[in-house]
Amino acid sequence: MTAPFAWIRPEPWGIHIVPADIWVDPSRPVPRALVTHGHADHARGGHGATFATPATLAIMKLRYATSDGAVPVEYGESIALGGGVSATFLPAGHVLGSAQILLEHAGERVIITGDYKRALDPTCAPFEVTPCDVFITEATFGLPVFTHPPIAEEIGKLLRARSDNPDACVLVGAYALGKAQRVIAELRAAGHTNTIWLHGAMEAMCHLYEEHGIPLGDLRLVSDAGKDDMRGSIVVAPPSALNDRWSRRLPDPVTAMASGWMRVRARARQRGVELPLVISDHADWNELTRTIGEVNPQETWITHGREEALLRWCQLGQRRARALALVGYEDEDD
């Protein structure tokens, strides 16, 4: 008899689905790849065929100039991969187009989450809890210290900083895919209808989100404005621009950063951040443990993050678990 789950094999550069000879989020080019979402530590060019949601494929085309071999898969759609393996893409709640991938073979069900969060996000479809036998979960914030506050609280801090500094602007560092658009959408949901100014590196991705039905309101480029135009405004830029020469064109900016890592004060100090905003697109400790409990798999495989603490939590709860050693997964400016 074939050992249970022998058909899915973690390798250092990705997860190999052996009967179908296809890889999930491989860190090197392969003939066939399933891609969970568009961030660079999961998606890359050079694959012969790439299976992903239409939004993820659009993001990959924009960011990595990949379009050859693109195979769109809608949420809830099941496709045959060969070798008796099928795949179904399910919402992951991480960024636009992000997906969990449910793999089925020989009566066994495996879910690979990619990156995910459980908090509602107006810019992407919410995570769907789906029972399975093996649950392969990220653990970016897999330590009990990481508990993300409600995003409304952090947006409130941002809006108060704006109103407290009417002759300045608030410069928010935010990852260009997902985080920037979420911050903008949450500002709109909080009633902020004023112009939001963008670093040029944000423009194309914000347009892509709007093309996929995510309204972001009045956005304009900093390069088209004078300092007086931006007083009392919010500016969104990549984290690398916070202390860059580019920021000198802004009116006395109050420096903020939207990231789950802002929970760690030392990281905020290292970045020179005056207003740390704990806003993450990854599940925090409570969401990770709650999700494992709700999915209730026979085994949990843990990857790219703080694996040891979540592994120990599973063991203390009499849950079978293992940590994977995958390469190429690095901390984003989340």
Side-chain angles (χ1 to χ4, degrees), residues 29-318:
V30 297
R32 297 201 306 157
L34 300 162
V35 174
T36 59
H37 67 284
H39 281 143
D41 58 340
H42 292 258
R44 55 158 301 144
H47 303 313
T50 300
F51 298 78
T53 64
T56 293
L57 291 173
I59 289 166
M60 292 179 68
K61 183 177 180 180
L62 175 62
R63 300 189 99 196
Y64 318 119
T66 59
S67 55
D68 293 343
V71 182
V73 185
E74 299 285 353
Y75 288 136
E77 180 182 355
S78 295
I79 57 172
L81 300 177
V85 181
S86 68
T88 306
F89 282 61
L90 305 166
H94 178 54
V95 296
L96 179 68
S98 61
Q100 310 169 75
I101 301 175
L102 168 63
L103 298 162
E104 297 178 90
H105 175 68
E108 297 169 344
R109 291 163 56 91
V110 175
I111 282 181
I112 301 171
T113 65
D115 292 336
Y116 72 98
K117 67 174 178 290
R118 301 297 303 274
L120 292 179
D121 178 343
T123 68
C124 62
F127 182 93
E128 291 185 6
V129 174
T130 305
C132 62
D133 302 303
V134 172
F135 188 60
I136 304 178
T137 179
E138 65 138 315
T140 302
F141 290 108
L143 289 171
V145 68
F146 289 114
T147 55
H148 306 324
I151 192 169
E153 294 181 6
E154 304 305 287
I155 294 297
K157 293 178 186 176
L158 174 53
L159 290 172
R160 283 194 294 276
R162 171 185 169 269
S163 62
D164 289 346
N165 296 275
D167 294 324
C169 71
V170 182
L171 171 59
V172 183
Y175 196 68
L177 166 55
K179 184 65 59 62
Q181 295 78 24
R182 185 184 181 201
V183 167
I184 293 167
E186 292 286 359
L187 283 166
R188 301 310 189 196
H192 182 69
T193 58
N194 298 44
T195 298
I196 294 175
W197 298 92
L198 299 180
H199 186 285
M202 301 294 193
E203 183 181 25
M205 190 60 68
C206 287
H207 282 329
L208 187 148
Y209 264 65
E210 292 185 308
E211 289 169 359
H212 283 77
I214 309 298
L216 299 177
D218 183 20
L219 305 177
R220 302 185 196 178
L221 293 177
V222 167
S223 58
D224 294 336
K227 283 192 177 183
D228 288 342
D229 297 321
M230 294 181 285
R231 295 190 191 279
S233 295
I234 293 171
V235 180
V236 182
S240 60
L242 292 185
N243 300 306
D244 186 71
R245 187 169 57 185
W246 173 89
S247 65
R248 296 177 189 171
R249 68 186 68 193
L250 305 176
D252 303 316
V254 176
T255 303
M257 184 166 172
S259 168
W261 298 113
M262 291 297 98
R263 176 67 74 187
V264 182
R265 292 181 181 178
R267 289 216 181 190
R269 287 196 298 269
Q270 289 167 2
R271 293 267 190 173
V273 172
E274 302 168 74
L275 179 64
L277 302 171
V278 184
I279 300 174
S280 175
D281 285 331
H282 292 264
D284 67 7
W285 173 260
N286 292 331
E287 292 172 331
L288 289 167
T289 55
R290 175 165 64 94
T291 301
I292 293 170
E294 291 175 351
V295 172
N296 196 29
Q298 294 178 24
E299 296 183 31
T300 300
W301 298 359
I302 306 162
T303 187
H304 57 283
R306 277 73 234 157
E307 301 172 1
E308 296 79 7
L310 197 56
L311 177 64
R312 182 61 176 160
W313 179 87
C314 289
Q315 292 169 341
L316 290 173
Q318 305 299 308

